[in-house]
């Protein structure tokens, strides 16, 4: 009866469910049976608990009940994200952001994840994600052996939770994760869940039994709600399709298709085909190809980068990550612009020969001119109160970008447009605040749809056209800052009221008549609300 009820809720009603797996001192045979027949098959995610609920005060470094609560919040928030779109850009859950320019993840090689604890704080300062190398865990060996005494599947998930708990206090580079209404989780440090096979620079067995077990581990990984799931693209098509179908139906993780060529040098054309293979049925959100070269007499160290540019012409375009193995391929890590795997100065050893630190790579990119320094500013008048320069400058420093952000407190827009920042070749754009949001429009080349409708601009973006000519683009993001939390808070209620009674009218009160009020009016329209204005 219990099984039928749970099955109906899960399969027929489509309810998202989390299995709270409590294991203080092992499991009885009865619990194991329930887990195999009900708890695991009819749940999406899994939260693992040992004895946290019985501790009055957890010691430093120990798992606490607070860690469990925060992890449950994170799992639910990740589950409620919009499904990622292949080739999607700018959305909350897009590879274009997660695997953005000058982002890095550090590969962890510890057999027990607690061994990483002394290094986590320093690593979190320099990278954007942690790679959880499951194939290197001691527990994965027990999983492969089918050990039922130690319950390795529990241990693998639990250690993943511990990694997140260790990162949480230091997650200064973590992206904002929307959660329930208007709240945001800002300390969920992203994790790349990886099972690397022996033939592809890893340790996991790649015989038939090993590959079957690998896909079991990848399905287990989805249950921990990772931000990114690394899937090697070379294996059993049926098992791959099964995994990706399950992901599409129930999960929101980004899929990173990957392939490593060890000990053999391929041609550019062959490398391009490997990128296409890593698109995995056009269902991967990013592609990572790691190659080998035997010499560097003719710039072979650019093989991965050059082939990634050719592969990027395939549509929809997804982030391509291209690297070379070994010391001979170190320069490829500087050339690769996105989501580069790195080591860290504090670690006792590197995950792979030739790996560099994020600091070394950023220094190399600066020396090579890959990241030209740019000048930004906030434009307004009587804006001594603005903390934008401190905030933006701190952000640039945190990610080691060589940009500057200053305050342009000027009475007229013309003073800025005729001044040194606007006319500098290194001008990268500016924020615009009162009273210049409308008067700046006349000095721009292009307006986004939002800026046109609102009639004011709060962001100027500088791009270059195909001829290298500077193009000044005006956008308005004020409305997004209003819309996103309001949509989370009242969007569902507004839509329900409209559905229940199509003739109902709901209103938004807009106070003021300046550029920000225009953005508020636009926001109200996007929310499906009629507008009432009140202005002096």
């Amino acid at each position: 009866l219990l099984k039928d009820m749970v099955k109906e809720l899960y399969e027929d009603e489509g309810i998202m469910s989390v299995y709270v797996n409590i294991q203080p001192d092992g499991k009885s045979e009865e619990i194991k049976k329930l887990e195999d027949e009900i708890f695991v098959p009819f749940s999406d995610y899994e939260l693992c608990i040992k004895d946290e609920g019985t501790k009055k005060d957890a010691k430093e470094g120990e798992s606490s009940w607070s860690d469990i609560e925060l992890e449950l919040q994170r799992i639910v928030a990740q589950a409620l994200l919009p499904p990622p779109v292949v080739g999607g850009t700018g959305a909350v859950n897009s590879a274009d952001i997660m695997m953005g320019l000058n982002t890095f993840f550090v590969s962890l090689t510890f057999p027990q994840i607690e061994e990483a604890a002394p290094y986590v704080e320093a690593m979190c300062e320099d990278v954007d994600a942690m790679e959880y190398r499951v194939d290197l865990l001691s527990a994965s060996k027990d999983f492969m052996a089918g050990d039922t005494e130690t319950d390795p599947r529990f241990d693998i998930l639990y250690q993943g939770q511990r990694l997140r708990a260790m990162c949480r206090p230091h997650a200064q580079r973590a992206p904002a994760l929307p959660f329930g209404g208007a709240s945001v989780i800002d300390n969920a440090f992203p994790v790349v869940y990886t099972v690397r096979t022996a033939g592809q620079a890893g340790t996991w067995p790649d015989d038939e039994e090993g590959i079957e077990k690998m896909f079991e581990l990848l399905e287990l990984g989805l249950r921990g709600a990772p931000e990114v799931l690394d899937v090697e693209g070379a294996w059993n098509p049926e098992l791959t399709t099964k995994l990706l179908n399950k992901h599409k139906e129930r999960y929101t993780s980004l899929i990173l298709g990957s392939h490593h060529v060890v000990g053999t040098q391929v041609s550019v054309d062959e490398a391009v085909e490997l990128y296409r293979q890593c698109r995995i049925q056009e269902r991967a959100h990013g592609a990572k190809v790691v190659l080998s070269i035997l010499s560097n007499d003719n710039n072979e160290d650019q093989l991965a980068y050059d082939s990634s540019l050719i592969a990027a012409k395939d549509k929809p375009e997804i982030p391509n990550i291209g690297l070379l193995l070994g010391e001979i391929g170190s320069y490829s890590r500087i050339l690769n612009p996105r989501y580069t795997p790195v080591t860290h100065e504090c670690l006792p050893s590197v995950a792979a020969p030739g790996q560099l630190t994020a600091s070394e790579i950023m220094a190399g990119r600066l020396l090579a001119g890959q990241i030209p320094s740019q000048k930004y500013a906030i434009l307004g008048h009587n804006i001594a109160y603005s903390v934008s320069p401190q905030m933006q400058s701190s952000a640039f420093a945190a990610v080691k970008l060589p940009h500057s952000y200053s305050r342009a407190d000027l009475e007229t827009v013309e003073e800025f447009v005729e001044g040194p920042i606007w006319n500098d070749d290194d001008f990268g754009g500016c924020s615009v605040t009162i009273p210049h949001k409308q008067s700046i429009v006349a000095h721009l080349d292009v307006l986004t749809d939002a800026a046109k409708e609102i009639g004011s601009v709060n962001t100027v973006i500088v791009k270059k056209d195909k001829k290298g000519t500077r193009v000044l683009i005006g956008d308005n993001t004020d409305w997004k800052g209003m819309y996103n939390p309001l949509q989370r808070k009242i969007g569902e209620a507004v839509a329900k009221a409209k559905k229940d009674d199509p003739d109902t009218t709901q209103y938004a009160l807009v106070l003021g008549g300046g550029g920000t009020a225009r953005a508020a009016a636009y926001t109200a329209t996007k929310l499906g609300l009629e507008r009432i204005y009140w202005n002096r």
Side-chain angles (χ1 to χ4, degrees):
L1 181 63
L2 175 63
K3 182 177 180 179
D4 291 340
M5 180 186 70
V6 172
K7 183 178 180 180
E8 180 179 354
L9 290 172
Y10 182 73
E11 294 184 348
D12 298 342
E13 301 297 328
I15 293 176
M16 185 272 288
S17 60
V18 180
Y19 167 35
V20 180
N21 189 347
I22 304 174
Q23 191 187 100
D25 297 304
K27 292 178 184 168
S28 67
E29 290 301 317
E30 182 180 1
I31 293 297
K32 287 181 181 178
K33 183 178 179 182
L34 286 171
E35 181 175 272
D36 292 341
E37 294 181 0
I38 299 177
F39 299 153
V40 172
F42 302 118
S43 63
D44 302 299
Y45 299 97
E46 198 160 333
L47 180 70
C48 295
I49 301 175
K50 286 188 175 179
D51 58 353
E52 289 85 357
T54 63
K55 295 178 181 177
K56 289 185 178 179
D57 295 301
K59 298 178 182 178
E60 184 176 353
E62 288 185 343
S63 181
S64 68
W65 187 249
S66 175
D67 291 330
I68 298 300
E69 291 178 330
L70 291 169
E71 178 62 3
L72 179 58
Q73 288 180 6
R74 188 204 64 82
I75 288 174
V76 173
Q78 177 70 30
L80 294 177
L81 285 175
V85 176
V86 175
T89 60
V92 173
N93 192 26
S94 69
D96 182 61
I97 293 177
M98 180 66 69
M99 304 174 193
L101 295 174
N102 300 305
T103 54
F104 305 95
F105 63 88
V106 65
S107 304
L108 300 178
T109 60
F110 301 99
Q112 298 289 335
I113 210 63
E114 295 286 350
E115 295 174 29
Y119 317 108
V120 165
E121 181 176 0
M123 289 189 292
C124 284
E125 291 181 2
D126 294 338
V127 301
D128 304 277
M130 297 286 178
E131 184 179 33
Y132 184 41
R133 281 287 302 273
V134 176
D135 58 297
L136 299 176
L137 295 175
S138 299
S140 71
K141 311 301 186 288
D142 296 332
F143 185 91
M144 182 65 203
D147 189 334
T148 58
E149 294 298 320
T150 59
D151 197 356
R153 67 177 305 283
F154 178 96
D155 195 20
I156 290 167
L157 287 173
Y158 187 79
Q159 288 195 64
Q161 291 177 198
R162 291 295 303 135
L163 173 60
R164 291 185 180 279
M166 289 188 289
C167 291
R168 194 172 288 121
H170 317 295
Q172 63 183 36
R173 292 173 67 150
L177 179 62
F179 176 67
S183 63
V184 169
I185 297 172
D186 61 3
N187 59 3
F189 203 78
V191 167
V192 183
Y193 182 99
T194 300
V195 184
R196 186 70 64 228
T197 55
Q200 297 202 27
T203 64
W204 191 258
D206 50 14
D207 56 11
E208 185 176 349
E209 180 186 5
I211 295 305
E212 288 182 4
K213 286 283 190 178
M214 179 191 75
F215 277 96
E216 290 179 22
L217 273 181
L218 291 174
E219 289 195 19
L220 179 65
L222 285 174
R223 296 178 65 80
E227 287 77 6
V228 180
L229 184 77
D230 184 302
V231 179
E232 294 181 357
W235 302 115
N236 188 305
E238 292 183 6
L239 293 176
T240 301
T241 299
K242 178 187 173 187
L243 174 71
L244 295 180
N245 286 346
K246 188 166 190 174
H247 167 268
K248 182 178 179 180
E249 290 171 5
R250 313 288 301 199
Y251 298 97
T252 62
S253 301
L254 295 165
I255 300 296
L256 177 62
S258 68
H259 189 87
H260 290 59
V261 178
V262 181
T264 303
Q265 184 169 321
V266 301
S267 67
V268 171
D269 289 342
E270 290 171 323
V272 171
E273 286 305 312
L274 289 174
Y275 279 106
R276 289 171 178 156
Q277 173 185 293
C278 288
R279 294 173 73 96
I280 314 183
Q281 306 170 16
E282 300 300 320
R283 297 165 80 173
H285 306 97
K288 176 187 172 191
V289 173
V290 182
L291 305 174
S292 297
I293 56 173
L294 306 180
S295 69
N296 193 27
D297 299 328
N298 296 294
N299 296 323
E300 284 90 350
D301 58 358
Q302 297 186 36
L303 172 63
Y305 178 68
D306 290 343
S307 55
S308 74
L309 295 180
I310 298 171
K313 296 177 183 178
D314 293 343
K315 303 300 178 186
E317 184 178 349
I318 62 175
N320 283 334
I321 301 159
L323 308 167
L324 297 174
L325 289 169
E327 300 291 343
I328 196 172
S330 292
Y331 183 54
S332 70
R333 299 172 188 272
I334 295 174
L335 287 176
N336 176 64
R338 293 175 177 268
Y339 223 45
T340 307
V342 296
T343 184
H344 196 273
E345 296 89 343
C346 69
L347 290 173
S349 62
V350 299
Q355 272 195 345
L356 302 174
T357 67
S359 297
E360 290 172 328
I361 290 173
M362 289 300 289
R365 290 174 183 173
L366 290 171
L367 287 172
Q370 289 176 237
I371 311 173
S373 61
Q374 294 185 305
K375 297 177 180 178
Y376 298 87
I378 178 169
L379 169 63
H381 187 46
N382 294 326
I383 55 170
Y385 63 85
S386 174
V387 296
S388 289
Q390 296 94 316
M391 180 179 69
Q392 302 290 359
S393 296
S394 296
F396 288 146
V399 295
K400 296 178 172 59
L401 288 172
H403 309 322
S404 63
Y405 190 102
S406 59
R407 182 184 289 107
D409 194 331
L410 300 169
E411 191 170 346
T412 67
V413 165
E414 286 70 27
E415 291 177 81
F416 185 66
V417 171
E418 295 170 4
I421 297 177
W422 183 273
N423 292 288
D424 195 305
D425 290 340
D426 295 334
F427 178 53
C430 63
S431 310
V432 185
T433 188
I434 54 175
H436 300 321
K437 292 186 178 186
Q438 292 168 260
S439 51
I440 192 69
V441 171
H443 302 280
L444 304 174
D445 301 310
V446 180
L447 296 181
T448 64
D449 291 342
K452 286 178 185 176
E453 290 197 43
I454 295 169
S456 71
V457 163
N458 79 330
T459 305
V460 175
I461 304 159
V462 178
K463 291 191 175 182
K464 290 188 177 180
D465 62 17
K466 294 180 180 179
K467 296 180 181 180
T469 303
R470 186 172 83 164
V471 178
L472 299 168
I473 303 167
D475 193 10
N476 191 304
T477 62
D478 281 336
W479 79 273
K480 294 179 182 177
M482 302 176 204
Y483 176 85
N484 290 336
L486 287 172
Q487 172 62 21
R488 292 194 296 267
K489 191 74 174 178
I490 66 171
E492 189 175 328
V494 170
K496 184 178 184 302
K498 194 70 176 176
K499 182 179 179 181
D500 293 344
D501 181 4
D503 296 325
T504 190
T505 302
Q506 299 172 88
Y507 295 93
L509 175 62
V510 180
L511 302 177
T516 306
R518 287 169 175 260
Y522 182 77
T523 301
T525 301
K526 289 290 185 181
L527 289 167
L529 304 173
E530 294 296 322
R531 296 163 293 183
I532 299 174
Y533 299 100
W534 182 272
N535 189 25
R536 289 179 294 181

